[in-house]
Amino acid sequence: MNYALVTGGSRGIGRAVCQKLAAMGFPVLINYQSNRDAASETQKIIAEAGGVAELLPFDVCDSEAVDQAIDTWQAAHPDDYIGVLVNNAGIRKDTLMVFMQNQDWQSVLNTTLNGFFYTTRRLLKGMIGHRKGRIINMASLSGLKGQAGQTNYSAAKAALIGATKALAQEIGSRNITVNAVAPGFIQTDMTKDFNEADFKKMIPAGRFGKPEEVAALVGFLASDDAAYITGEAISINGGLYT
Ligand code: NAP
């Protein structure tokens, strides 16, 4: 079976992506860091809709933990492989650079950029061997335009877009596509302390996006129909640019 792994699949955009991929017929591996209840809720929602999902917790920042979790899963599933990877896990630690602590910088870079590297590297050989794969990286509008108070987050997401473009060139001939999705403001825990009434005045669509809308784009990029799209960073932001 061709599985899909979604990092940070317990909540928010990741949960919606898990639901979408399960509805498309992929057995889904729901990764999370610590929120087991939320991950189990994602699994339950998928099962109730007739899909298949397993929990696969690991900290994407921990290279050994990534390898160990995926090695253990692979040993228990010798005939299966992970053909779709959505690098979605992310955090933000916003503050002006003048006040930013080393930990604020490092934790955001670790989660988005190192997490992408460790997880993707582990799964690449399997995709290359199967001559098929889809890698979708959750970037951000902040990584395209930069955002005050988010030098760490903007740097991490811009670097993720650079890595997306480079890897797409490395493995394009192997029938593996690598793309980034760059959402604007989406209604999740990550944005729950933003006042939507203030921010939405800047957004041509007049509202925050829904996780399901991002998941629909990810689902398309994971599908056979998107085989000729690679190395792209696709915005989904209600018309909000610079
Ligand atoms: P969220 O609701 O805060 O959920 C974050 C998810 O990431 C959770 O599943 C969390 O797991 C997981 N996670 C965090 N650190 C992890 C780690 N070290 N290892 C494994 N999993 C980890 O966030 P969201 O809004 O859905 O955002 C998802 C992605 O979209 C992020 O990459 C974010 O930067 C990006 N994004 C979001 C927006 C937005 O407006 N919401 C806009 C642009 C881009 P636990 O549940 O275990 O904590």
Side-chain angles (χ1 to χ4, degrees):
M1 293 273 274
N2 177 5
Y3 275 70
L5 167 60
V6 181
T7 67
S10 49
R11 297 183 278 127
I13 293 170
R15 173 181 285 177
V17 169
C18 287
Q19 287 178 248
K20 177 69 186 176
L21 294 174
M24 288 167 66
F26 290 102
V28 173
L29 300 174
I30 304 166
N31 163 259
Y32 62 100
Q33 183 178 26
S34 57
N35 200 332
R36 188 180 179 87
D37 288 349
S40 296
E41 180 65 19
T42 304
Q43 186 182 30
K44 186 169 157 234
I45 293 166
I46 289 171
E48 283 172 359
V52 174
E54 298 170 27
L55 303 188
L56 193 66
F58 57 81
D59 177 355
V60 297
C61 304
D62 182 340
S63 165
E64 285 178 14
V66 172
D67 285 347
Q68 193 178 38
I70 297 173
D71 288 350
T72 303
W73 178 86
Q74 191 68 69
H77 294 77
D79 298 328
D80 300 322
Y81 86 111
I82 298 170
V84 176
L85 169 62
V86 184
N87 287 300
N88 167 77
I91 57 169
R92 65 180 183 88
K93 293 276 168 72
D94 298 355
T95 187
L96 298 175
M97 189 186 255
V98 70
F99 301 123
M100 193 174 284
Q101 302 298 306
N102 291 355
Q103 178 59 19
D104 298 330
W105 178 266
Q106 287 159 358
S107 61
V108 170
L109 268 289
N110 266 340
T111 309
T112 283
L113 192 56
N114 295 350
F116 151 80
F117 172 59
Y118 299 142
T119 313
T120 307
R121 180 182 58 182
R122 173 60 188 81
L123 296 180
L124 270 179
K125 273 190 193 154
M127 291 186 191
I128 291 169
H130 283 86
R131 284 281 193 280
K132 185 165 185 184
R134 292 282 187 272
I135 300 167
I136 298 144
N137 299 321
M138 202 55 68
S140 170
L141 177 63
S142 301
L144 292 171
K145 74 174 274 286
Q147 182 66 40
Q150 290 194 328
T151 49
N152 49 0
Y153 187 85
S154 300
K157 297 300 192 184
L160 183 63
I161 292 169
T164 299
K165 290 173 183 285
L167 184 60
Q169 293 178 53
E170 283 186 22
I171 56 179
S173 64
R174 309 301 175 97
N175 195 28
I176 302 167
T177 67
V178 192
N179 290 290
V181 169
F185 292 102
I186 309 298
Q187 283 168 337
T188 69
D189 290 346
M190 190 177 271
T191 53
K192 67 174 186 265
D193 56 341
F194 293 175
N195 185 342
E196 184 169 346
D198 287 343
F199 281 91
K200 73 183 187 185
K201 290 176 203 149
M202 305 183 302
I203 305 169
R207 62 175 178 83
F208 281 14
K210 299 177 192 146
E212 295 72 25
E213 291 173 315
V214 181
L217 174 56
V218 173
F220 173 64
L221 291 172
S223 74
D224 287 343
D225 286 342
Y228 205 54
I229 302 172
T230 194
E232 285 298 320
I234 301 178
S235 290
I236 174 160
N237 58 28
L240 179 65
Y241 289 97
T242 48

